[in-house]
Structures are given as structure tokens and as C-alpha cells.
């Protein structure tokens, strides 16, 4: 795609346009080619009706696109979702980008409770990125949705770009397109904006956005990680998983052999340990139900999709069966139990505990140093 927006690619998602086959990516009715901006039918539906057809891009295509960055002279902006940090960090990014500098932009800071110290969060992110083998020029915290911290993003781009193109990379649903639309407004004289939605894989091909100095911002498609709950659930359930307002932490005082259900999407068992409290950080739209461990299997069998919802009974058929993760919280540690795409549970006691987490097969579940 050239720096002039041509009629052969979608201004919203970058896919090559075609007028032949309505159920293939890039379809646009012939008459719509005269509209400005020129966007495919899928982007039109997302923008106007919050509807998207399921079009995903092959994982190998993502990796090929990522691998081509090493041969360029660029600044790589990696956007991650603070709510799903371990799920949205691109593992092995360093080997794809070669010697190009990486700026780590951490989105959705607006979801954290107001009392949280952002310097501490930034140090936590730096430590986690280092553990993942990622060398970063800087870490910038922001909220693309609220616009907070955006001045810091622009300052960092000015500092590290040094006249180069900017490649923007990230997993699906991390707020990449929202952030890029802010960049278009600040950095470019283009009128158009990228399509933004809750749906995975909204950007289908690399979109080149010309900058005033002749360089470009290149938006790459969101990488689909099946280890994130948000990639496995039907679309309607996404609305319950993805919080839009600051999280309201829920504190549960539990005795051993008590369980918490998160709708019918996951379960947390406090198997053994001294009585203690656990703080749950999840979307307020996800209902939590407490029960005794010995009743948990029976409750799930009888009430999944009804009392325990979302998802509904019909939607549950589309989600993989649960896998059990047995975890030991070390005595004296400050630990979160992280479930990718759902949120995390903080163990408030230093007494240690044995816990089990049940989540759909393939979803990343792990213990980590406490975020908050």
C-alpha cells in the first residue's frame, strides 16, 4: 500500500479489497468503492453495528510479518494489556525484531484501582519484560481509552524514533488500534482512522499510515494466542470478560476446602492452608459464586450456564473442557494467581496455601509476583 490511500486496500484493517466473494476477507460491494474512506464490509459492520464476521489471520502469517521487521530500520512499539500482561506479551519478540529498539507501551492502566502506585507498576513491568528476555528502551504506562499517559507515549516516540518508521505490534484486544488512532491524530494529516472493536484480529494486514516526514506508522495484525481466555470464548462472552471501568476488587475470607466459581468459565479451589482472604480482580460483569469444595462438582453439573453464567449452556459447547492446575503459594510470598483473559486472584496472607484452578484447556494459568 502506498502512502496515498488507494482503492485496493481497506482504510480500516489494511486487507486487500475485493468485490467478488461476500464471505471472504476484504469484500466490499461495488457501489461502496465510491465512499470515503474506503472500508471493507466487515469494518463497516464493526463501526456501525458492532458486528464482526469471524476472520482470523494464520499464525504463520503473523510470524512472517514479524520476522520481516528485523531487516528494517524501525522503532518497534510493543503494546501489552496490563489486565492480561502475561497473556499479551509476545514471547520471543526479541528474535523477530533484530537490533531495532523496542518501546513497551502498557495499556489499560485506567482499570487499576485509583490508589495504585504507577511507579511500582512500571518497575513490575520492567522486571517481567526482563524475565521474558525482552530488551526495552523504555516502559510507558497509558490508557488509550481514556487518553491518560498519552503525552508520555508521544514523548517516548520522539525520543527513540530518530527518523525511522514505527512498527506497532501486539496481541489481539490490547487496544492497539485505539492507540494508533491517537497517533494518526497527533502525527499525521490523514482523515481516516483504523477500525477498532472488541473482536480479535480486527486489523487483518499491515496498515501503512504516512507521517509528515515521509516515514510511516505500520500497524500489524493482532497476534492470536489461544492461551488467552478472550480468544476461546464466543463473542457475547467477551463483553463479560473485558472490563471497561476501574476494577472493584472483591475480597473473600475463605476457609480451606471452599471454592469460587467465575460464572461457568473458571473455578478456584482453596484446597488447604490457614483461613485467609483472597482478593479477586476481574470484570464486574463476571459473577462470582462461593460454595464448599465437596459440593463444587455437583453445583457445576446442575447449574452451569444458568446460576453459573456466563457463558450460557449453548455457549459452553463452544469452549474447551476444563483442565486442573494445582498450585502451591509459597509461605512468605506476595503472590497473584493469574488466569489469562479473566484477571487474577491475590493471596493476601503470607501463610502460604495449596490451591487448584480449573480453566478451559490451553488457557495460561500461573503464579506471579503480586501486581497490586
Amino acid at each position: 500500500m502506498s502512502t496515498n490511500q488507494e482503492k485496493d486496500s481497506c482504510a480500516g484493517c489494511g486487507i486487500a479489497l475485493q468485490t467478488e466473494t461476500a464471505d471472504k476477507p476484504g469484500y466490499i460491494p461495488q457501489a461502496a468503492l465510491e465512499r470515503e474512506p474506503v472500508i471493507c464490509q466487515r469494518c463497516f459492520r464493526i463501526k456501525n453495528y458492532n458486528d464482526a464476521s469471524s476472520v482470523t489471520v494464520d499464525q504463520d502469517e503473523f510470524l512472517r510479518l514479524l520476522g520481516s521487521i528485523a531487516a528494517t530500520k524501525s522503532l518497534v512499539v510493543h503494546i501489552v494489556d496490563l489486565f492480561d500482561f502475561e497473556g499479551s506479551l509476545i514471547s520471543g519478540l526479541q528474535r523477530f525484531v533484530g537490533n531495532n529498539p523496542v518501546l513497551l507501551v502498557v495499556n489499560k492502566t485506567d482499570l487499576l484501582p485509583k490508589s495504585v502506585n504507577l511507579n511500582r507498576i512500571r518497575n513490575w513491568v520492567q522486571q517481567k519484560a526482563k524475565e521474558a528476555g525482552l530488551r526495552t528502551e523504555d516502559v510507558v504506562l497509558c490508557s488509550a481509552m481514556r487518553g491518560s499517559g498519552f503525552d508520555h507515549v508521544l514523548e517516548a516516540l520522539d525520543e527513540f524514533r530518530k527518523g525511522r518508521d514505527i512498527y506497532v505490534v501486539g496481541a489481539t484486544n490490547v487496544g492497539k488500534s485505539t492507540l494508533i488512532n491517537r497517533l494518526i491524530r497527533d502525527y499525521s494529516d490523514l482523515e481516516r482512522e483504523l477500525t477498532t472493536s472488541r473482536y480479535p484480529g480486527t486489523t487483518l494486514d499491515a496498515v501503512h499510515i504516512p507521517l509528515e516526514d515521509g516515514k510511516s506508522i505500520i500497524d500489524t495484525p493482532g497476534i492470536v494466542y489461544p492461551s488467552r481466555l478472550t480468544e476461546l470464548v464466543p463473542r457475547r462472552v467477551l463483553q463479560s470478560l473485558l472490563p471497561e471501568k476501574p476494577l472493584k476488587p472483591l475480597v473473600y475470607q475463605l476457609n480451606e476446602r471452599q471454592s469460587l466459581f467465575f460464572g461457568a468459565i473458571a473455578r478456584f479451589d482453596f484446597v488447604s492452608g490457614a483461613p485467609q482472604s483472597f482478593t479477586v480482580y476481574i470484570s464486574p460483569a463476571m459473577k462470582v459464586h462461593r460454595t464448599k469444595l465437596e459440593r463444587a462438582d455437583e453445583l457445576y453439573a446442575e447449574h452451569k450456564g444458568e446460576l453459573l453464567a456466563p457463558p450460557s449452556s449453548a455457549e459452553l459447547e463452544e469452549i474447551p473442557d476444563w483442565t486442573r492446575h494445582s498450585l502451591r503459594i509459597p509461605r512468605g510470598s506476595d503472590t497473584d494467581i493469574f488466569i489469562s483473559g479473566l484477571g487474577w486472584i491475590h493471596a493476601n496472607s503470607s501463610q502460604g496455601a495449596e490451591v487448584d484452578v480449573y480453566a478451559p484447556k490451553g488457557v495460561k494459568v500461573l503464579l506471579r509476583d503480586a501486581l497490586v
Side-chain angles (χ1 to χ4, degrees):
M1 180 172 162
S2 76
T3 51
N4 299 317
Q5 170 61 29
E6 293 170 355
K7 300 275 184 185
D8 59 0
S9 57
C10 171
C13 70
I15 198 78
L17 293 170
Q18 53 91 11
T19 55
E20 306 294 315
T21 318
D23 59 354
K24 291 266 171 69
Y27 176 73
I28 183 171
Q30 191 75 40
L33 283 168
E34 300 313 310
R35 280 200 210 113
E36 281 296 329
V38 185
I39 59 173
C40 70
Q41 190 170 62
R42 178 175 170 276
C43 284
F44 182 80
R45 281 184 180 152
I46 292 173
K47 275 187 189 301
N48 295 290
Y49 307 114
N50 205 21
D51 164 44
S53 53
S54 284
V55 184
T56 54
V57 181
D58 186 77
Q59 185 88 14
D60 295 340
E61 280 292 295
F62 287 136
L63 298 180
R64 182 189 55 72
L65 195 60
L66 264 190
S68 66
I69 297 175
T72 67
K73 274 205 153 76
S74 313
L75 172 63
V76 178
V77 177
H78 179 11
I79 302 180
V80 292
D81 175 351
L82 188 57
F83 182 65
D84 187 14
F85 184 82
E86 284 83 355
S88 60
L89 194 71
I90 299 175
S91 50
L93 179 65
Q94 203 68 50
R95 73 173 182 273
F96 291 111
V97 301
N99 293 319
N100 288 312
V102 176
L103 179 66
L104 191 60
V105 174
V106 183
N107 191 19
K108 305 193 187 178
T109 53
D110 57 299
L111 296 179
L112 292 180
K114 294 277 188 288
S115 57
V116 167
N117 179 325
L118 288 181
N119 273 337
R120 185 183 179 281
I121 299 293
R122 196 168 167 276
N123 293 339
W124 184 94
V125 168
Q126 278 174 322
Q127 182 59 35
K128 293 290 161 212
K130 194 173 164 192
E131 286 169 16
L134 190 59
R135 297 192 302 276
T136 57
E137 296 294 314
D138 203 358
V139 170
V140 186
L141 306 180
C142 73
S143 163
M145 177 85 82
R146 305 274 179 270
S148 59
F150 204 73
D151 294 348
H152 298 308
V153 176
L154 293 176
E155 283 163 18
L157 289 176
D158 285 341
E159 183 179 349
F160 299 114
R161 186 161 84 89
K162 299 186 167 66
R164 291 176 284 210
D165 288 333
I166 300 170
Y167 272 87
V168 184
V169 302
T172 54
N173 262 324
V174 296
K176 209 154 52 64
S177 295
T178 308
L179 200 76
I180 286 184
N181 285 334
R182 296 292 314 250
L183 291 179
I184 291 173
R185 276 174 248 163
D186 284 81
Y187 259 102
S188 164
D189 52 8
L190 281 186
E191 294 299 311
R192 68 202 180 87
E193 290 194 357
L194 299 178
T195 304
T196 60
S197 86
R198 293 172 166 278
Y199 304 125
T202 306
T203 304
L204 294 178
D205 206 349
V207 180
H208 289 243
I209 299 135
L211 298 174
E212 285 155 4
D213 62 1
K215 297 297 182 183
S216 297
I217 297 172
I218 299 106
D219 180 27
T220 61
I223 293 180
V224 176
Y225 282 132
S227 55
R228 305 168 77 205
L229 201 44
T230 41
E231 306 292 6
L232 300 179
V233 300
R235 281 201 198 104
R236 200 186 67 80
V237 182
L238 264 186
Q239 294 168 1
S240 303
L241 281 177
L242 294 173
E244 294 192 331
K245 294 183 174 150
L247 301 172
K248 293 200 167 94
L250 305 167
V251 181
Y252 290 90
Q253 191 70 41
L254 299 182
N255 296 322
E256 62 180 10
R257 304 198 62 73
Q258 286 189 309
S259 300
L260 299 175
F261 280 96
F262 305 104
I265 206 86
R267 173 178 136 193
F268 170 78
D269 294 346
F270 177 23
V271 179
S272 68
Q276 56 189 280
S277 71
F278 294 87
T279 304
V280 173
Y281 294 86
I282 59 169
S283 166
M286 185 56 66
K287 301 287 181 284
V288 183
H289 191 93
R290 184 193 339 215
T291 190
K292 290 184 174 169
L293 180 50
E294 59 263 26
R295 280 214 62 227
D297 287 345
E298 183 190 335
L299 185 77
Y300 184 72
E302 289 178 8
H303 296 291
K304 62 185 178 185
E306 293 159 4
L307 171 70
L308 302 177
S312 67
S313 301
E315 288 163 338
L316 272 171
E317 291 173 18
E318 300 177 46
I319 300 172
D321 290 338
W322 283 353
T323 298
R324 183 176 75 173
H325 303 260
S326 294
L327 305 166
R328 192 177 65 77
I329 299 168
R331 185 181 281 275
S333 69
D334 189 13
T335 299
D336 290 338
I337 302 105
F338 169 80
I339 306 167
S340 180
L342 177 68
W344 65 95
I345 302 153
H346 180 245
N348 296 321
S349 168
S350 59
Q351 297 286 314
E354 304 278 342
V355 302
D356 284 346
V357 172
Y358 293 80
K361 187 174 186 208
V363 168
K364 186 178 280 188
V365 174
L366 50 85
L367 295 181
R368 69 180 188 190
D369 297 333
L371 170 65
V372 177

